[in-house]
Amino acid sequence: MRRGAPVRGQGPPAASTIAELSRPGRRAWSFAPLDVEPVEVPAEHRRASAPGLPEVSELELVRHYTRLSQMNYGVDTGIYPLGSCSMKYNPKLAEVAAAMPGFARMHPLQPDATTQGALELLWRLERALCELTGMARATLQPPAGACGELTGLLMMRAFHAAQGAPRAKVLIPDAAHGTNPASVRMGGFDAVHVPADDRGLVDVEALGRAIDDDVAGLMLTNPNTLGLFERDIERITKLVHDAGGLVYYDGANLNAIMGRTRPGDMGFDIVHINTHKTFATPHGGGGPGAGPVGVVERLVPFLPVPRVERDRDGAFHLSEEAPASIGRMHGFNGNFAVLVRAYAYVFLHGADGLREVSERAVLNANYLAALVRDVFPLAQPDLRPMHEFVSTSVELKDRTGIRVMDIAKRLIDLGYHAPTVYFPLVVEEALMVEPTETETRETLEGLAAALRQAAAEATTDPQALHDAPLSAPVRRLDEARAARQLKLRW
Amino acid sequence: MRRGAPVRGQGPPAASTIAELSRPGRRAWSFAPLDVEPVEVPAEHRRASAPGLPEVSELELVRHYTRLSQMNYGVDTGIYPLGSCSMKYNPKLAEVAAAMPGFARMHPLQPDATTQGALELLWRLERALCELTGMARATLQPPAGACGELTGLLMMRAFHAAQGAPRAKVLIPDAAHGTNPASVRMGGFDAVHVPADDRGLVDVEALGRAIDDDVAGLMLTNPNTLGLFERDIERITKLVHDAGGLVYYDGANLNAIMGRTRPGDMGFDIVHINTHKTFATPHGGGGPGAGPVGVVERLVPFLPVPRVERDRDGAFHLSEEAPASIGRMHGFNGNFAVLVRAYAYVFLHGADGLREVSERAVLNANYLAALVRDVFPLAQPDLRPMHEFVSTSVELKDRTGIRVMDIAKRLIDLGYHAPTVYFPLVVEEALMVEPTETETRETLEGLAAALRQAAAEATTDPQALHDAPLSAPVRRLDEARAARQLKLRW
Amino acid sequence: MRFAPHTDDDVRQMLATIGVASLDDLFDEIPAALRVEGPLDLPGGVSEQEILEDLGNLARADRSLEDLVCFAGAGAYDHFVPSAVWALAGRSEFFTSYTPYQPELSQGVLQTLFEFQSMVCELTELDVSNASLYDGATALVEAVHMARAGGRHRVLVAGGVDPRLVATLRTYGAGSGYAPEVLEAPAGWGGVPAELEPDVAAVVVQHPNVFGILEDVTSFAELAHGGGAELIQVFDPTSLGVLAPPGALGADIAVAEGQSLGNHLNFGGPYLGILAARMEHVRKMPGRIVGETLDVDGDPGYVLTLQAREQHIRREKATSNICTNQTLMAIAATIHLAWLGPEGLAELGRRCAAKAAYAFTALTAVPGVRAAFPDAPFFKEFAIRVPGEAAEVRDALVDRGFLAGVPAPWVGSDVLLVAVTERRTKAQIDALALAMGEVLA
Amino acid sequence: MRFAPHTDDDVRQMLATIGVASLDDLFDEIPAALRVEGPLDLPGGVSEQEILEDLGNLARADRSLEDLVCFAGAGAYDHFVPSAVWALAGRSEFFTSYTPYQPELSQGVLQTLFEFQSMVCELTELDVSNASLYDGATALVEAVHMARAGGRHRVLVAGGVDPRLVATLRTYGAGSGYAPEVLEAPAGWGGVPAELEPDVAAVVVQHPNVFGILEDVTSFAELAHGGGAELIQVFDPTSLGVLAPPGALGADIAVAEGQSLGNHLNFGGPYLGILAARMEHVRKMPGRIVGETLDVDGDPGYVLTLQAREQHIRREKATSNICTNQTLMAIAATIHLAWLGPEGLAELGRRCAAKAAYAFTALTAVPGVRAAFPDAPFFKEFAIRVPGEAAEVRDALVDRGFLAGVPAPWVGSDVLLVAVTERRTKAQIDALALAMGEVLA
Ligand SMILES: Cc1ncc(COP(=O)(O)O)c(C=O)c1O
Ligand SMILES: Cc1ncc(COP(=O)(O)O)c(C=O)c1O
C-alpha cells in the first residue's frame, strides 16, 4: 500500500541513467547565432571524437532530474538525525538572499570598488563569528570544516616555526572525527591519540603524560563526540599551553553552546565553524559548506590571504599583504554564497536567537534520549548529553543478533532517516543521534516510537528488520560488491 | 515493490491536514517591531474570536506542502495527455522571466511613465497574437479562455445592438466544450445546438436551416472537439456572415494550426487563445491562465478597456477612452505575469518555431493514434485527426464490461496520467487524447503499450482494472459519497 | 530554441507508421485557399539567452517597487511575501499539473485546496468557500449572479464600493440583464437607504471600503434581510485578524481580492478571487469545490465535488462558465495563511492599522493637505485632498522615489488614496511626508 | 525570527520528562566560570523582511554583472546558466540532503553523482572521476598528493599555470613537505625542460593556460613519462567540445575548475573541483566516489564506494581529509552537461573561440594596445599589454560599464587578461574596444 506516499511519475521503474534516454540529434541547448567570423581550432589541438554526453530534450532532462530528486530524502521531507551533522531546517529566505544578482553575479576578481557590499558582508560576518567564539580575527575562506582544520593546523605549524621551534605531534582524542587525524597528517604532523576516561571524557592524567615539548597542539570538540561537555576543559587547555602548545576547537558541535559559553573563554586558540551545521546552510547532498576559522590575537599574523580589511575612510578591500600568512587555502574567496546564507542565519537570529537555538537543540536531544535510553542505553549513562547523544545497541545485538544497521534500515520503512550508525568507532553498535532544535516534540516522539518498535521487532518480528527496507526505491544494497566489481561510470 | 518510486518522506501516512499539525503558540511568522504608536480597532468593529488558522513552525509548513506536492502528478513528472488541454512542457526560462522585479513587483495602478516596459510587452504580444490569428486588434485582459469567450460574446452583443438590431441566439455544435454554452448564456443569448454530420463535422445543411436573422453568431473550434479540421469552414462562416451574424473561434485547439492557417483567413471575426495551452504557461493545478481575444477591424471599437495604446512619440499608455467599449472584464490588467510567460514562449519560438510546434503536435497525435486505433477505434475513423484524437472503447465495454474509467485508473498503476475520458459527451466511452509536441516517440510508445496492456487485461486480468489504482497515494475515491455527505472544510 | 524532441529519424519513422509521406500531408485537410504561404510576419526564433535579455530589458524599462516606495493600494497591496510561500507553491508538481480530473494523482492540489476552503471559512465565519475565482472583481460578479439566481433582478451597490468593481459588474451585467445601482455616500461611507424594493436581489457593501473606511455593515445587512435580499460583503483578508468577519456582520456571501495573501503584485494579475457563502447557497456557487471523501479502502481522500453545478456537466445551465481558475494563487494564499496563523494575521492587521494611522497624521500635517473624510475610521488606507491635481502630485513624488498613492477622480481630482501596509517603516512614511511637503511648497 | 517550534507547554513537558527543572539545568555541565553572562555583543534578532532588506542593501552596494559587461576570467567565467539547471538542482530534496550514508534514501543524489562521474570521464577520456572537490585549485592540490603518494617528492609546474593555483599548492605543500617549482616560460607557454630528475613526482601543465594559450601538453607528457613522473593537466571543461581531451594528450590525472558548468560566479564560490585519472590511480583518489551495485533483489542501485580511502575509515592514512564537498555544484554541472550534450558543448567552445578571436583583433587594433604573446594560439582568453597600468585601465573602464579583464602583474603591470565567453556579443566587444580607445586617448 502506498497510503500518503508520493505519486510515482512516469519513467523507467528501475534506475536508468540519462545516457539511456539519449537519442542522436535530440537537444535542449540553444545559442544565439554566431555574430562574428568562426575560427578553426588548430588541427593539432582538435578533439578527434565527440564526448559521449547524453542528447535529450529539455523536458526529458527536467523529468529525469525531477524524478531523481524525488528519490531522495532531505530535511524538507523529514527529520534527518545524523549525529554531528546538525541537519536543521534550511531557511528559504537564505536561498532568496543568495540568489540576489549583487551576490550571485559577482566575479571573484572584480576591483574592490565594485564589491563593497560583498566585502562588508564578509567583514560583518567575521566579526560576529569572532564574538560568538571568543576569537580575535577569522578567515572565511575554507570551503568546509576539514579545510578549516587544515588551515588551523598549518597556522599551528607556522606559529611554532616562527618561534624557531617546530613541533611534530598533534594530540587528538580516540573518538575524534576522521577529518581530525587526516588533517593532522596533511598539516605535516603525527597524530597522537589520547584515550578517554571511563566517563567518556578526555583522560586528563593520560593527556598530561602525553604532552611534551614536541607537541604542537591538541584538537578537541566540546561538547565531545559523545555529546558530553568536557568539564575539565580549563585544566586541559592550561596543560597544553603550559607546554607551549596550541589548542584547536573543532566547531562541529557548536550548536550545543551558542550564547552559553565560548571556545575562547575555555582557552582554545583556534576555532573552526561548520556553517552548514550550526548556521543551517543547506548540506546540498554532501556539500557545499563553509569552514570559517577564528584565532586568538597571537595567531592573527598567520591567517590566510586574502583578508577583508577596512581603510580609515571606511572602504573595504581584499588584502594580500601579510608576510607571515600561511597563504591561500582556496582558489578565490571561499564559498561566498554559502557565507551569504550563514550571514542571513546569524543576523536573523541575533544574540538571543542563537542562544535559544542551542537551548532548544540541547532540549530536543535530551528529550529524545529520555524517550529511548531504556531501549538504547547511552554509551555514557552517567553524564548528561548536550545537543546529541550516543547510544549503543550492543545488548540488543548480543540478545537477538540484530545489528544497528538493521535498525537503521527498518527506520526507513517506518518513515524516518536513521541517525549516524557505527560512529564513533570507540562505541560498539553505536547510534549517534542529533535531532536539532527545529524538530517538534511530536516528531521526536514519532522517531522514538519507531526506534522502540524496531527494537521490539528484534524479538517479535526479526524478519521485518532483515528484509528492510521494503518501501524505498531500492532494497538493501551490496556495498561489498560495489567495491569488488568497480562500476564507477556508464 | 517501490522500484524507482519516490522516497516517502516522514509524515502521517493518511491524508492529514495542516490543521492537525497545529499547536497553540507555534509559529512561522515574523514581523519587524512596530515602529509607530499602536492603535486600537474601534470596539464595534473588533473581531470577537480569532480565526482557526493553523499554528505551525516554518519547517512543518515546508514539510507539509513539500509532501503534498509530491502527491501530485504534473507535466514535470510524466506525460499528461488530457485532450483539449495542450499539457506541453512549461519552459523554466519563463519562470525566471516572470520573477523579474520589473514584472513581479509592479503595482497595477502605477502611472504609465513608470510602466513602459510592461506596456511595451503587452503591445508587442498583442500584435504577435493578431498576426498569428489574422485579427486586427486584441485584448489581453481575460484571465482565462472562458472569460475570453464571454468577452467575445459581449462584443457580439454590443455589435448587434450598435446595428440597432439586437439578436437572441448563438449557435454551437453539440460537441462544444461546456464553457461555450455557459458563456453564451452569461452573454445573454440562447444557445442553439447544431448537430454534427456523420463525419463528425458541422452539418452545413442543418446549420443553414438553423440560421436566421435572430442568430447573433456561431461559436466553433477548428480543429473541432474531435480533433478534426472543419474543411467546409469557408462555407460555414459565409453562411453566418450572409445572415448578418458573427463567427467566434474558440482557440483551445490553436496548437494544431499555428503557421499553417489562421482563423481570420477562415472568416472568423473573434478569436480567443488559451495561453496556458498553446503557449505553455503553466496550468498551476487548475490555473491561472490567460484568454486573450482578438477581433476583426469592425469589432475593434467594442474591445474592453483599458487598452494599451502608443502615442506619436512612441510612449505607451493604458487608455480607457473607448465609448463603444463593453468595459472591463477584470479588476486590473488581466493575468499579466501569465502574459509575460506567453510572450517568452511566442518570441522564443518565432514564426518558424511556432509552425514547427503545430507540425510536431499533429505528428505526435497521429502517431499515437496509429499505435492504438486498432484497440481503441477512432470515433471518426475516416478523417485524419490533427493535434488530438478521440477514441471510443464502447466495443471493449460491450465485450468485457470494462469502462473507460477502469482503463484510466489502470494507466495510473502503469505510470501514466490518463487522457480526458467521457468527453466529448457525444461520443460513448470517449477517450480524448492530446499528447502535445514536447513528448518523445519513446514516451508515446510507452503510453500506447500501457493502453494496449490495459485493454488486453480487460479479458486476461479484469481484476487488475477493477482494483486500480494500487500504486497511488489513495485508491479509487467515492465521488458520489463526496457529493452526498458534503465535507467541504475541516 | 525548440522543445519538440523529434530527430529527423523520429519524424521519418513516425510518418511511415502513420502512413503519410510528409509532414505537410498531415495538414491536407486544410483547404489550399486557407493555407498560410510563407512565414508569418513575426521575428524568427531566438535562444534562451536572447529572450531573457529581451525580457530583462523590458523589465528594466519599468520602475518596480524595488526602487519606488509603495503607498499605492486601491485593491492591490504591497504586503511582504515570505520566502517559503513560493519556494513551496513554485514546486513543479503543483504548477505543471491541471484540474484534478484524476484525483488519485492530484491529492496534493486537492488537499491544499480543501485547506484553502477551510481557511477561508475560518476567516469569514461563513460555511462554505469555493476553490478560487479569477480575482476580486469577478468574484463580486459571481456573487451577484448567485444572489440573482433567486429570481430577483436589481443590484444595489453602496457608495463606498470601489468603482472598478462597479465597472466590472456593469460589463457582466450587460450580458446577464442588470445594471448595478450605486447609492449615494457623500460622507465616503454609509448611505443606507430607508428600505428596499421587493425586486432587489442583492445589496453590495465593501468593508473596509474603497477609501479604507470601516463601514456599518450590519445596517446594510438589516436593510437587505429586511427586504428579502442577500447581503454581499467585499472584504480585505488582511483585515480579518482584527476586524469582525463577514459572517458575524450578517453577510450572506462574502468576496475578496486575495492578492494580499502571498501573491506578488504582478502588475495586476494573476490574482485570487475568494468567495464564501452560507451553506444554503452551496449549490449556486460557481467554480471548483473540493470535498473530502473515502476511497475503496475507507481511507480519506479529496475530490472535486458538486460538479453538477459546473459548465462541463450542466453546460448552459451551469452556475458559471469558469473552468481554468486561480488554483496556484489559492495554494500560495493557503501557505501564506498557514505561515501567519491566527497570531500572525492579527499582528499583520495591527501593523497595517497603526502605520496607516501614523501616515494619516503625518500626511494631513503637511501644509495644504487635508483628510478627505475627516472623522471616518479606517483600516490600512485613507483618502487625502491635496492642493491641485492628485495625479500631478503623485507624478512629482515618483521623481522622489515614492509611489504615493492612487488618485480617486470620482470624488475629486484632488483626492489621493494612500495605502500603508506592514511593510512600510516609520522612516519611509516620514520621508513621504517630507517629500510631499517639498512637492507642494 | 525563530525556527525552533517549541511552545512553552512543550518546554515544560519535555523538561519534566527529562527530569530537570529548567533549561539552564541542561547546561549545568558547563563550569560556572565559563558561562557567558548576559547577551553576546551581537545585534538582536530581526524579522525575515528586515534581514532581506539588509541583504538587499548589501547586494545593491555591489556592481554585479547585471550592470557590468564581463570580460574578466582568470579561472572564473561568465558563461550563460540555463534556467533549467537551478530549477532542478535547486529542488529541496537535493539541497537539504547530506552525504548518502543511507543509500536507499539517497538514490537521487547518488545516481546524479554517478552520471557526473560518467560525464567527466567522457569529457576527459580518462577512466575514473570522483564526485567533486572544493574547487579547481584544491583539486590540483589533491592531484599532486596522488602523484606524490608514489614516494617521489618534487613537483614541477609549467610557467603557464595560473599563479593562484601555484600559490594554493604552496600553502598545502608547507604541510605535505614540498614546494612547487615553477618552470620558465618567457613566451607565455611551453618551456619544457630537457629532462627530469628521478625525484620528480609530478609535472603540472595547464591547457589552455592562464593566458588562454594552447599548450603543447604532449611534450610535457613525454617529459613526465620519460622521467617516471605523472603528468597532471589542468583543463577547462568548456574547451572539451573542441579541444583534444587530457586523456588523449597523455595526462595521468586531470583537474579542472568546474564553475563554468552551470554554476554562477558567486564572487568566488561555491565552485566545483573536478578530478579524473587513469584507473590505476583509483585507490589513491580523494573524496567521494559513487559506484553502481545491486540490491538484495538483484536490481541496480548506487552507493558510495572505496570508502577505505577516506578519512572516516582510514583516518590519518586517508588519501585526503575532505568530507563535505561540492555535491550540489556537481549536480548542477551534470544537468548543464546534459542540457548541452556533445553538440552543445562543441557549439559553446566554437562560440568562445570565435568571439575571443574577434575581441583579440578588435582590442589589439586599439592604438597603444598590443598582444602580450603575439603568435600564441589561444582559446577563450588572451593577454594584452596596455599603455600604463593595466589595473588603472580596468578601473577606468568600470566607469564605462565594463569589467574589461584581470591584470596579470606577474608578467608586467601593463598586462591585462581578457576573457570572452559565448555570452558576449559582437556589439559588446566593439563597445569595449571603443571605450578602451577613449580611455587610452
Ligand atoms: C566533528 C566533526 N569535525 C569535522 C567535520 C568535517 O567538517 P566538513 O564535513 O565540513 O569538512 C565534521 C563533519 O562531518 C565533524 O562532524
Ligand atoms: C475547447 C475549449 N474551450 C474553452 C475552454 C475554456 O478555457 P479556460 O479553461 O482557459 O477557461 C477549454 C478549456 O478547457 C476548452 O478545452
Side-chain angles (χ1 to χ4, degrees), chain B residues 136-151:
Chain B
R137 285 293 303 269
T139 175
L140 306 184
Q141 197 180 112
C147 184
E149 295 169 21
L150 181 56
T151 304

Side-chain angles (χ1 to χ4, degrees), chain D residues 113-148:
Chain D
L113 290 176
F114 179 84
E115 294 179 356
F116 170 76
Q117 294 172 181
S118 305
M119 293 187 197
V120 169
C121 292
E122 293 287 353
L123 285 183
T124 57
E125 290 187 6
L126 285 166
D127 308 321
V128 49
S129 160
N130 76 359
S132 87
L133 295 165
Y134 299 136
D135 73 346
T138 56
L140 175 57
V141 169
E142 296 283 8
V144 163
H145 292 183
M146 283 171 67
R148 294 181 77 253

Side-chain angles (χ1 to χ4, degrees), chain A residues 223-478:
Chain A
N224 67 22
T225 308
L226 297 179
L228 308 175
F229 193 85
E230 296 281 355
R231 53 162 77 131
D232 300 324
I233 188 63
E234 287 167 299
R235 275 178 61 207
I236 293 169
T237 54
K238 185 165 186 317
L239 269 174
V240 178
H241 287 155
D242 291 348
L246 299 171
V247 199
Y248 182 101
Y249 184 86
D250 175 333
N253 296 346
L254 191 67
N255 211 47
I257 62 166
M258 287 189 289
R260 287 280 172 177
T261 180
R262 311 191 302 170
D265 302 342
M266 303 176 202
F268 285 92
D269 305 290
I270 310 173
V271 177
H272 92 249
I273 292 175
N274 304 76
T275 64
H276 41 298
K277 298 175 183 185
T278 316
F279 302 145
T281 65
H283 282 77
V293 176
V295 295
V296 293
E297 203 58 53
R298 60 181 172 155
L299 295 178
V300 169
F302 308 104
L303 282 168
V305 287
R307 304 175 189 175
V308 180
E309 303 290 358
R310 182 171 206 166
D311 345 334
R312 244 171 260 74
D313 65 7
F316 300 92
H317 64 277
L318 283 176
S319 162
E320 302 259 355
E321 287 135 34
S325 167
I326 58 166
R328 60 165 53 249
M329 296 298 298
H330 182 268
F332 294 105
N333 312 326
N335 283 346
F336 176 75
V338 175
L339 298 168
V340 170
R341 295 170 171 92
Y343 176 102
Y345 186 89
V346 167
F347 289 95
L348 180 74
H349 283 84
D352 351 348
L354 293 174
R355 182 182 164 99
E356 190 192 64
V357 162
S358 291
E359 202 169 76
R360 303 307 164 94
V362 173
L363 176 66
N364 275 3
N366 277 273
Y367 184 64
L368 184 55
L371 296 179
V372 300
R373 62 187 300 171
D374 59 326
V375 178
F376 295 99
L378 298 188
Q380 286 298 334
D382 307 338
L383 293 180
R384 167 173 304 119
M386 297 199 71
H387 70 303
E388 69 186 356
F389 63 91
V390 175
S391 286
T392 170
S393 68
V394 66
E395 181 275 340
L396 187 76
K397 167 166 156 265
D398 297 344
R399 187 159 47 77
T400 66
I402 291 298
R403 304 290 318 270
V404 69
M405 184 58 76
D406 303 314
I407 301 290
K409 300 308 182 191
R410 179 60 179 147
L411 284 177
I412 294 173
D413 287 336
L414 297 174
Y416 295 91
H417 192 287
T420 300
V421 291
Y422 300 115
F423 184 83
L425 308 169
V426 296
V427 175
E428 253 188 293
E429 295 293 308
L431 205 63
M432 188 184 196
V433 193
E434 181 183 6
T436 83
E437 70 282 0
T438 53
E439 296 300 333
T440 63
R441 179 155 66 95
E442 297 75 28
T443 298
L444 300 177
E445 289 162 356
L447 175 57
L451 279 162
R452 301 182 71 91
Q453 175 179 338
E457 288 170 340
T459 38
T460 63
D461 185 7
Q463 205 50 41
L465 292 144
H466 293 303
D467 292 345
L470 290 165
S471 66
V474 292
R475 301 271 321 269
R476 226 179 276 200
L477 292 156
D478 184 345

Side-chain angles (χ1 to χ4, degrees), chain B residues 107-264:
Chain B
H107 191 283
L109 303 177
Q110 289 185 212
D112 296 331
T114 67
T115 65
Q116 289 299 298
L119 295 178
E120 181 164 7
L121 182 147
L122 295 172
W123 169 271
R124 289 190 199 166
L125 182 58
E126 179 187 340
R127 260 127 214 84
L129 300 188
C130 288
E131 168 65 13
L132 190 61
T133 54
M135 296 291 118
R137 285 293 303 269
T139 175
L140 306 184
Q141 197 180 112
C147 184
E149 295 169 21
L150 181 56
T151 304
L153 288 155
L154 290 173
M155 287 192 278
M156 231 185 236
R157 172 174 206 81
F159 167 81
H160 290 296
Q163 311 281 305
R167 298 181 169 208
K169 295 185 291 186
V170 170
L171 308 178
I172 53 179
D174 291 339
H177 189 267
T179 53
N180 290 183
S183 299
V184 165
R185 172 146 150 298
M186 286 177 79
F189 296 105
D190 301 324
V192 177
H193 289 266
V194 286
D197 62 20
D198 47 25
R199 302 164 309 168
L201 303 179
V202 170
D203 181 330
V204 184
E205 307 324 322
L207 177 69
R209 287 191 297 277
I211 294 180
D212 59 31
D213 63 8
D214 200 25
V215 168
L218 165 71
M219 288 182 89
L220 226 53
T221 68
N222 193 19
N224 68 21
T225 308
L226 297 179
L228 308 175
F229 193 85
E230 296 281 356
R231 52 163 75 133
D232 299 326
I233 188 62
E234 287 168 298
R235 275 179 60 209
I236 293 170
T237 55
K238 184 165 187 318
L239 270 174
V240 178
H241 286 155
D242 291 348
L246 299 171
V247 199
Y248 182 100
Y249 183 86
D250 176 334
N253 295 346
L254 190 67
N255 211 48
I257 61 166
M258 288 189 288
R260 288 280 174 177
T261 180
R262 309 191 305 169

Side-chain angles (χ1 to χ4, degrees), chain A residues 27-34 58, chain B residues 93 343-350, chain C residues 1-3 43-55, chain D residues 80 82-83 339 351 355 422-423 425:
Chain A
R27 68 185 233 197
W29 63 270
S30 68
F31 289 109
L34 188 55
E58 190 162 297
Chain B
L93 64 89
Y343 176 101
Y345 186 89
V346 167
F347 289 93
L348 180 74
H349 283 84
Chain C
M1 185 163 196
R2 56 196 291 259
F3 300 112
V46 300
S47 64
E48 174 172 352
Q49 184 191 329
E50 290 166 287
I51 196 69
L52 287 177
E53 271 159 14
D54 176 31
L55 283 154
Chain D
F80 178 72
S83 307
W339 186 85
R351 277 171 172 67
K355 291 180 187 226
E422 85 290 350
R423 199 168 185 171
T425 63

